[in-house]
Amino acid sequence: MKPNTLSDLGLPPLEVRLPMPELGPWRAGNAGIPGVWRFAAAEAGPHLVVSAVVHGNEIAGALLLTRWLRDGVRPRRGTLTLVFANLPALDRFDPADPTASRFVEEDMNRLWAPALLGGARRSVELDRARTLLPVMTRADVLLDLHSMLWPSDPLFLSGPGAAARTLGRAIGTPPLVVADDGHAAGMRLIDHPRFKDGASALLLEAGPHWQPETLALMEDAAARLLRALGMAEEGVALPVQAPLPEGRLARVTRTVTATTTGFAFLRDFRGGEVIERRNTLIALDGEVEVRTPHDDCLLVMPSPRVMRGHTAVRLARFEV
């Protein structure tokens, strides 16, 4: 399967307002795996893994990691590991067609089921995921950096453990943590069993692809996470940050997967929009109606151009 291009998606031209990441000396890594950097402090503490470009066209995360490497960000305690995940896809990024390098052969963020990782099937992304698996499963905390194609407010998606939800709310930016059960199309990195008990995983959807404000939010959230874990060396290449109130928590009550090629929303919806009344008609999947299951229904990252078998929208209820 090849990634969708702009013309496939019926999109207008999209402006890339971020520079192409220059990996240069950072490509080799220092941990025996290309694109993986590990730094351990003398003082014991948690192991934080920050991963970027699981999708090769989501370049803001790579820009954050290259800046941290260039500026010498190191943990005060514990271990900090920085991962450029899908290097082959990143190498194909073209600002003239910026959606086309999401992956080379298949979506890397649908491949983290243990049975699949342990199987015989091969692809560019599966081979790379198998190489990175020992890195990811050593994490006490994982922050997986992403951005979004369709209009949506930024948010955290939490892994299966309760600790991830608590940590996301404590960071406070973005101010929303959404707990869900993943995608029908395959297991995300944050859903790996490593993060079910004990370890915590957060997927940060920081804002629109290729925009400076998205990179700024990533930098803010990642620095706040370092501080929340007691790992930040104050005054070393990290922004000054005032305290924030705890974020809200919402739990997905229904994941809507398109079952036909004719899935369509009744109007343009923005991620983060709240539909006040239950049973409101929001989409048609062929002839099947899609309605809100409860009052004050939060729309999580609706995708107006969705393929059959893929997630069209997640519907969520606020818990806090």
Side-chain angles (χ1 to χ4, degrees):
M1 181 187 296
K2 294 183 179 180
N4 293 318
T5 65
L6 295 178
S7 57
D8 292 334
L9 293 168
L11 292 173
L14 298 170
E15 184 179 7
V16 177
R17 297 175 59 216
L18 292 174
M20 177 66 190
E22 296 292 339
L23 267 60
W26 314 124
R27 177 178 294 273
N30 71 346
I33 300 173
V36 177
W37 290 83
R38 182 177 297 121
F39 305 102
E43 182 182 345
H47 185 173
L48 169 63
V49 173
V50 182
S51 57
V53 288
V54 165
H55 296 134
N57 66 325
E58 297 180 16
I59 62 174
L63 290 168
L64 171 58
L65 296 196
T66 55
R67 187 181 74 76
W68 276 17
L69 288 164
R70 183 183 66 245
D71 292 349
V73 174
R74 300 291 184 270
R76 182 183 65 78
R77 66 187 190 106
T79 300
L80 174 64
T81 297
L82 308 178
V83 179
F84 299 93
N86 198 339
L87 289 172
L90 176 63
D91 289 340
R92 297 185 177 203
F93 181 74
D94 179 0
D97 195 3
T99 64
S101 58
R102 180 176 171 87
F103 50 81
V104 178
E105 294 184 278
E106 58 182 326
D107 191 332
M108 192 178 186
N109 213 26
R110 304 292 183 269
L111 303 178
W112 296 92
L116 181 57
L117 291 167
R121 184 167 71 78
R122 297 192 63 183
S123 71
V124 169
E125 276 78 17
L126 255 176
D127 289 350
R128 180 64 171 167
R130 289 171 180 137
T131 299
L132 294 176
L133 182 62
V135 178
M136 304 304 189
T137 55
R138 291 191 190 105
D140 298 310
V141 178
L142 169 72
L143 178 63
D144 191 20
L145 301 173
H146 288 259
S147 54
M148 298 180 278
L149 178 60
W150 303 110
S152 180
D153 297 339
L155 73 156
F156 283 118
L157 295 171
S158 74
R165 300 190 290 272
T166 300
L167 182 59
R169 292 187 62 215
I171 295 170
T173 185
L176 174 64
V177 179
V178 175
D180 75 352
D181 295 322
H183 292 275
M187 186 176 285
R188 302 168 301 188
L189 174 56
I190 64 169
D191 300 320
H192 187 275
R194 165 66 180 168
F195 305 111
K196 188 171 184 178
D197 298 305
S200 299
L202 290 167
L203 188 160
L204 173 59
E205 294 283 8
H209 294 328
W210 321 305
Q211 303 305 312
E213 59 269 25
T214 298
L215 176 57
L217 188 141
M218 278 186 182
E219 292 178 323
D220 191 27
R224 288 182 185 278
L225 176 58
L226 278 179
R227 291 191 170 97
L229 297 174
M231 298 176 66
E233 285 280 12
E234 294 301 333
V236 180
L238 295 174
V240 176
Q241 296 170 306
L244 291 173
E246 280 195 332
R248 298 191 72 184
L249 173 64
R251 186 178 298 277
V252 170
T253 54
R254 181 184 175 191
T255 297
V256 179
T257 301
T259 61
T260 72
T261 57
F263 188 99
F265 287 99
L266 268 62
R267 64 170 176 83
D268 290 336
F269 289 103
R270 178 183 176 85
E273 190 170 342
V274 176
I275 307 301
E276 289 187 3
R277 296 188 179 279
R278 69 176 297 274
N279 207 37
T280 299
L281 181 64
I282 60 171
L284 293 173
D285 191 0
E287 299 298 321
V288 177
E289 296 183 344
V290 179
R291 294 179 177 271
T292 52
H294 44 75
D295 291 343
D296 296 324
C297 183
L298 173 69
L299 304 187
V300 179
M301 297 176 62
S303 177
R305 304 285 188 277
V306 62
M307 294 185 295
R308 183 171 57 186
H310 288 235
T311 299
V313 65
R314 280 158 281 190
L315 308 176
R317 188 198 303 271
F318 288 106
E319 292 192 346
V320 180

